[in-house]
Amino acid sequence: MRRERLGFSFALAVLSLWCTMEVAVEAAWSLQTPVKLVWHYYKVHNTCDYAEAYIRHQVESFYKYDKTIAPKLLRLLYADCFVNGCDASVLLDGPNSEKTAPQNRGLAGFAFIDKIKTVLEARCPGVVSCADILNLATRDAVHLAGAPSYPVYTGRRDGMTSTKDSVDLPSPSISWEASLAYFRSRGLDVLDMTTLLGAHSMGRTHCSFIVDRLYNFNDTGKPDPSIKASLLEEMRKLCPPKTRKGQPDPLIFLNPASGSKYSFTNSYYSRVLTNEAVLGVDQQLLYNEDTKQITEEFAAGFEDFRRSFALSMSRMGNINVLTGKEGEIRKNCRFPNKK
C-alpha cells in the first residue's frame, strides 16, 4: 500500500464524487452495495436550500465553546452507522434503546443534534432527517478540529426502531483479525479500518475499556506485554485496578499527545509505532503487514491520512442507509413520529 496508490485511488474517488449529482458511492478497493444519495439533496429538491449552511453555522457556534463535540460526534456517528446503518437509530430514547447498550456507555453529543434539529424544524419543518444532520454535523465538527471537509451526500431517512440487543459493537481489546472481520461485515476494507481507527487521535475513554491491558491481559494476571513501560506506568496511575463494585471509572485521553486540545492529527499513528496506543485494538495495527504499512505511511504523512479519512468517512456514511419511502423524517430525533 504505497503512498502513490493512496493518492491515486483518492483522486479517482473524488472525481467520481464531485462530478455527478446523483451517484452510486463506490470504494477504491472494495465495492459497497450501491446506494443513491444526492449531492446537496435538500437544495436539489428545493425543500431546504440552506440546510447544510444552517448545520454548519450551529456547529461552528458550538465548537467555539466546546471542542469536545468533534470526538463526541465521531463516536456517535460510528455507533449509529455500524449497528443498523446510518439511520439515526442511536439517537432514539427508550429504556432498551441502542444508547442503553453497555458498548455505548459514555456516548454523548445528543444535545448538539437536538439543538440543530430544533433550528431546522423552525426553518424547514419535517424535511431534514436526523441521519443527515448527524453525518453533516460530524463532518463540520471534525473539519474544525483539523480533518478535511469531505463531501457528504444526503437524502438519508430515519429508522423507527432502536434496541440495545442490536448493538454488536466489538470490544476495544479485540485482535486485528476480529476487527477487520467486523469492518468487512459492514462493507469496509483494511484501509478503511486503519483509517477510521485514527479517529482515536482525539477524545477520551473510560478506564474500564483498558483495565484488562493494564493488569490482566488475556487472563494472565499480567499487563499486555506490547504496551510501553512508561505508558503502562502512566495509565496505572490514572486507572487503578477494579477491586469493588461501584468503584469510580475515570476518563482518560485516547491520545495523550493531543489531550485536551482535541485536535485531529496523525500523532495517533506515531504512538502505535512506539507501542504507546491506549486501546488494545489500536496497538494491534502493528501485527498485520497491511495495517502496519498503512500506519507507517500515515505517521510519516499527515496529508495521506487526511485524504484517506475523507474517503473512509464517506464510505462509512453509506452503510445501510434508508432512502426513498423507507423509514421517516423524524420531527424530534429522540422519538419516532406519532402515527
Side-chain angles (χ1 to χ4, degrees):
M1 183 84 58
R2 292 185 295 275
R3 211 172 291 168
E4 303 84 60
R5 187 180 178 188
L6 282 172
F8 176 72
S9 59
F10 179 76
L12 289 178
V14 169
L15 182 63
S16 172
L17 287 172
W18 283 80
C19 291
T20 59
M21 187 63 72
E22 186 168 308
V23 298
V25 183
E26 296 183 347
W29 289 278
S30 61
L31 297 178
Q32 294 171 301
T33 302
V35 174
K36 287 188 176 180
L37 295 175
V38 179
W39 180 236
H40 296 313
Y41 175 89
Y42 301 101
K43 182 173 289 187
V44 170
H45 291 275
N46 294 317
T47 52
C48 193
D49 288 1
Y50 300 103
E52 295 187 27
Y54 295 147
I55 293 171
R56 188 177 305 112
H57 175 73
Q58 291 300 309
V59 171
E60 289 172 350
S61 297
F62 298 150
Y63 190 82
K64 288 178 183 178
Y65 302 101
D66 186 1
K67 290 181 172 52
T68 69
I69 67 168
K72 286 175 180 176
L73 291 179
L74 264 176
R75 185 185 172 198
L76 191 57
L77 183 62
Y78 160 76
D80 185 48
C81 292
F82 271 74
V83 177
N84 290 318
C86 303
D87 66 348
S89 57
V90 74
L91 303 179
L92 289 169
D93 281 348
N96 294 298
S97 65
E98 290 172 35
K99 61 176 69 172
T100 68
Q103 300 97 313
N104 284 333
R105 184 183 179 199
L107 207 59
F110 302 103
F112 299 128
I113 301 301
D114 290 341
K115 291 176 182 177
I116 294 171
K117 181 63 171 174
T118 299
V119 169
L120 287 168
E121 283 298 303
R123 289 164 172 75
C124 311
V127 170
V128 184
S129 71
C130 299
D132 277 344
I133 291 172
L134 179 55
N135 273 268
L136 290 163
T138 300
R139 186 271 309 276
D140 294 339
V142 296
H143 176 53
L144 291 171
S149 183
Y150 53 89
V152 173
Y153 283 74
T154 44
R156 297 169 188 80
R157 288 171 65 85
D158 300 322
M160 295 182 285
T161 61
S162 179
T163 63
K164 68 178 180 182
D165 291 339
S166 67
V167 178
D168 62 350
L169 299 173
S171 160
S173 298
I174 59 173
S175 66
W176 69 263
E177 294 97 335
S179 180
L180 182 56
Y182 185 73
F183 273 75
R184 281 177 172 164
S185 73
R186 269 55 178 177
L188 303 178
D189 58 25
V190 66
L191 179 58
D192 293 316
M193 180 188 78
T194 311
T195 301
L196 293 174
L197 285 176
H200 295 160
S201 65
M202 54 184 174
R204 298 191 296 174
T205 189
H206 282 280
C207 284
S208 56
F209 289 122
I210 69 159
V211 71
D212 57 329
R213 290 195 76 203
L214 305 181
Y215 300 101
N216 189 27
F217 182 68
N218 289 345
D219 295 322
T220 61
K222 299 178 180 179
D224 182 347
S226 71
I227 192 169
K228 191 173 182 178
S230 58
L231 178 65
L232 177 63
E233 182 180 3
E234 178 186 353
M235 290 295 103
R236 280 183 161 181
K237 290 178 181 177
L238 299 172
C239 301
K242 187 173 181 179
T243 57
R244 69 182 189 279
K245 188 176 181 179
Q247 181 175 322
D249 189 11
L251 284 165
I252 56 171
F253 289 112
L254 283 167
N255 179 9
S258 172
S260 58
K261 295 177 183 178
Y262 295 101
S263 54
F264 182 89
T265 72
N266 61 339
S267 60
Y268 160 88
Y269 295 101
S270 299
R271 293 182 66 86
V272 170
L273 293 174
T274 55
N275 292 295
E276 294 179 281
V278 172
L279 295 180
V281 67
D282 294 336
Q283 197 58 64
Q284 285 283 310
L285 294 179
L286 279 187
Y287 303 126
N288 169 264
E289 183 178 345
D290 289 336
T291 57
K292 182 179 180 181
Q293 189 170 357
I294 296 167
T295 298
E296 289 171 343
E297 294 211 10
F298 288 169
F302 184 39
E303 286 307 308
D304 283 345
F305 172 42
R306 293 178 85 250
R307 287 194 293 267
S308 189
F309 186 80
L311 179 55
S312 291
M313 287 296 289
S314 293
R315 281 165 52 72
M316 183 176 76
N318 190 44
I319 298 175
N320 294 335
V321 299
L322 302 176
T323 58
K325 295 182 179 180
E326 299 174 306
E328 64 181 9
I329 305 297
R330 277 183 232 142
K331 296 178 181 178
N332 183 325
C333 291
R334 292 178 180 264
F335 305 100
N337 296 338
K338 294 180 180 180
K339 301 302 182 182

